[in-house]
Amino acid sequence: MIIVASSNGKVGISAAMAVLRNGGSAIDAVEAGIRLVESNPQDDTVGIGGIPNLLGQVELDASIMDGRTLAAGAVATLRGYEHPISIARKVMEELPHVLLAGSGAERFAAEMGFQRGELLTEKAREVWEERLRQAMPEAVLANLEGEPDLRQWVKRVRESRRSGGTVNFLAQGADGDICAGVSTSGQGWKYPGRVGDSPLIGAGNYADNRYGAAACTGLGEMAILAGTARSVVLYLKMGLSLEEAGRQAMEDLHALPAPYLGEMNIVALDRDGRHAAFSNREDRTYVYMTGEMDEPEELPRVLVPGDTTADLE
Ligand code: ASP
């Protein structure tokens, strides 16, 4: 039994392990762990408290993949629901589809009995507004909805500050089944409707019992263009070790053109329960916990530096 998560998953990893210990599935464990991160208002990159898009709307992306069946479910640009990971799971279990976006995802959430809630916290709204005030004149801010050229403001507002974050959970139960889950409010100040890598199976999330699983945080456009999570698993299938597979997937990103160069992080797990994580930035960590451990442990990620000079992260 093992759970691996991005470092912000620390608030949910013990609960996820408790699910496995009590006989729950890897899917149950991933969902339970991620729900706690989604409910953590201190985390401004996932669920409640997430930094909103350019218009001040919190739009959430999430996905879950079952490595036993290779089934998956995902939601994108979902507004007004605290637990996109649970709605993604319902997409996997209740629909002959993988990904629902926007109003359709919200309709489905209501149909499945999820309650609507306010996701924009006062703190996140203040951070959002302060940044807009620095970047644009008052008159534009006062009428953002009606602004004919939002594109120029997305570029200006998102310059030179990291504005993203995501939670990744990978779990393997005692039966060997693997599940991977990802949830995020995406890039802060993004263009409305922008979808990152997190709800895209193959980009930000992939799991296959036969080989392992991987999930990403960082500049989603990179993982989309390189198919990063799937690449890690495919390299495992080709016989590379977990460390080689992760390094290779990171190195694949180096060929991307600007502006698709920024921070990228991967967590990975192989079918034998070995874990590793990778980053192109120094001092990045991840957490893991096995069935024998009382507390999770935080470890450094393997550094795979590239030409990541772009400021858009
Ligand atoms: N990967 C997420 C996205 O691009 C955000 C992040 O992890 O920084 O939406």
Side-chain angles (χ1 to χ4, degrees), residues 226-285:
T228 299
R230 171 76 174 132
S231 294
V232 173
V233 176
L234 204 51
Y235 286 129
L236 288 172
K237 177 180 178 179
M238 289 167 65
L240 274 65
S241 70
L242 189 65
E243 170 138 2
E244 287 165 353
R247 278 186 184 278
Q248 194 59 59
M250 290 295 293
E251 281 167 16
D252 289 347
L253 300 166
H254 299 166
L256 295 177
Y260 306 115
L261 289 171
E263 176 163 351
M264 180 50 53
N265 310 290
I266 305 172
V267 290
L269 179 69
D270 73 10
R271 67 175 173 207
D272 299 318
R274 280 186 287 261
H275 55 93
F278 307 85
S279 181
N280 56 11
R281 293 286 192 273
E282 284 178 17
D283 302 325
R284 296 294 189 258
T285 60

Side-chain angles (χ1 to χ4, degrees), residues 175-230:
D175 51 11
D177 285 346
I178 296 177
C179 175
V182 180
S183 184
T184 187
S185 50
Q187 302 281 323
W189 300 275
K190 62 193 170 186
Y191 198 100
R194 178 265 187 189
V195 175
D197 58 320
S198 308
L200 302 183
I201 298 303
N205 185 356
Y206 204 79
D208 184 332
N209 271 11
R210 296 170 297 175
Y211 313 111
C216 305
T217 64
L219 181 57
E221 282 72 9
M222 297 175 77
I224 293 173
L225 291 172
T228 299
R230 171 76 174 132

